[in-house]
Amino acid sequence: MALMRIPPGVPLEELDYILPQLVNDGLGEGNEFLVAQLGRDERTAELVAVLIWHGFLPMGGHGLLLPKIHMTRCILAPAQVHTGRKVRRRARGFHLTVDSAWSRVVEHIQQLTYTHEPGDCWLSVDLANLYMQVGRVRSRWRRGGVTFHSVELWDTESGELVAGEIGYVCGRIYSSCTGFTKKQQYPGAGSIQLSALGHWLARSGFVLWDLGMDLKYKRDLGARLVSRSEWAEQVR
């Protein structure tokens, strides 16, 4: 299936007009991805900010930028996060931080999270660096104060990083991008991290948590599945 390409150098003003139409009409043939060059310049960082503003999740692969607009998406109001009894019991001895260990979280994701086999993680070094660069954009394209963040769950006694994620903020919406958990050594750490993050988001005034594709553990948190059109209504 051919992906719709964003031409290099296309004016961002033009994309700003076209992207809402693509979100409304879809990308054709059940496709969820666009494709663009993964540059290291400020213009690519501005492009990522524009894509996020219009509801795309900026993923990557094969040295390319792969913005994704899900056919269906899991969302949750942070104030409605469900924390099960088992998670509450297991949570003793862990603590959550935000923006304390970006590089370590990225490294753990690259080592522990993959699609088919170890090493094929879509979060490349170049893409992670681009995420950081988005927060330094000073032009009008960084609407909603788009900024990427790292989230860390630590074992308090050992000081070991046991789970975490990279996500981004746009206005009062937080989107989880990708993460990791050391589930063999610390069973349930991923659920603890997500539950703690949900409560942190609620206390921080976020009104919507975008969890991306539909998976059971997200439903267990209380997330519901919405269509692309309903997601678009939430972000506009």
Side-chain angles (χ1 to χ4, degrees), residues 8-233:
V10 63
L12 293 178
E13 291 83 359
E14 189 173 323
L15 272 178
D16 205 37
Y17 175 77
I18 294 172
L19 288 174
Q21 299 175 52
L22 294 180
V23 173
N24 290 340
D25 300 338
L27 304 181
E29 301 180 1
N31 192 13
E32 296 181 313
F33 290 93
L34 298 174
V35 61
Q37 289 183 346
L38 181 57
R40 300 179 181 180
D41 55 346
E42 183 171 355
R43 195 251 177 210
T44 306
E46 290 177 329
L47 171 61
V48 169
V50 172
L51 289 162
I52 288 173
W53 178 256
H54 290 292
F56 285 80
L57 172 70
M59 299 177 67
H62 307 288
L64 298 167
L65 180 64
L66 299 173
K68 183 177 184 180
I69 187 72
H70 298 71
M71 299 286 288
T72 56
R73 204 161 184 144
C74 273
I75 65 171
L76 173 63
Q80 298 174 359
V81 168
H82 171 71
T83 303
R85 191 175 303 169
K86 183 183 292 186
V87 172
R88 288 198 299 271
R89 186 168 62 250
R90 286 177 168 175
R92 300 186 184 96
F94 297 95
H95 66 276
L96 190 82
T97 59
V98 177
D99 291 333
S100 293
W102 172 277
S103 296
R104 291 180 65 185
V105 171
V106 169
E107 290 170 1
H108 279 65
I109 291 170
Q110 291 169 339
Q111 293 167 3
L112 300 174
T113 303
Y114 49 88
T115 305
H116 301 294
E117 58 185 26
D120 72 351
C121 178
W122 60 261
L123 182 62
S124 66
V125 172
D126 284 345
L127 185 57
N129 289 339
L130 178 62
Y131 286 171
M132 291 281 285
Q133 191 174 352
V134 171
R136 297 192 290 268
V137 168
R138 293 293 176 261
S139 72
R140 64 189 178 95
W141 297 113
R142 188 170 159 248
R143 290 164 292 188
V146 175
T147 310
F148 283 80
H149 299 276
S150 63
V151 178
E152 306 90 16
L153 184 75
W154 308 86
D155 176 68
T156 302
E157 183 176 354
S158 67
E160 184 173 355
L161 180 60
V162 301
E165 69 174 64
I166 298 297
Y168 54 88
V169 167
C170 183
R172 296 172 70 192
I173 298 174
Y174 173 80
S175 296
S176 291
C177 204
T178 184
F180 79 94
T181 178
K182 294 181 179 178
K183 55 187 175 184
Q184 300 299 327
Q185 305 98 308
Y186 297 90
S191 297
I192 296 168
Q193 181 250 305
L194 288 170
S195 180
L197 173 58
H199 290 289
W200 183 88
L201 291 171
R203 291 197 304 271
S204 300
F206 288 89
V207 298
L208 189 66
W209 186 2
D210 164 28
L211 287 153
M213 66 185 296
D214 184 27
L215 291 169
K216 181 182 181 301
Y217 73 84
K218 300 174 184 179
R219 299 289 192 101
D220 291 343
L221 274 174
R224 64 186 180 93
L225 197 62
V226 298
S227 65
R228 185 184 64 240
S229 59
E230 185 174 347
W231 164 247
E233 291 175 5

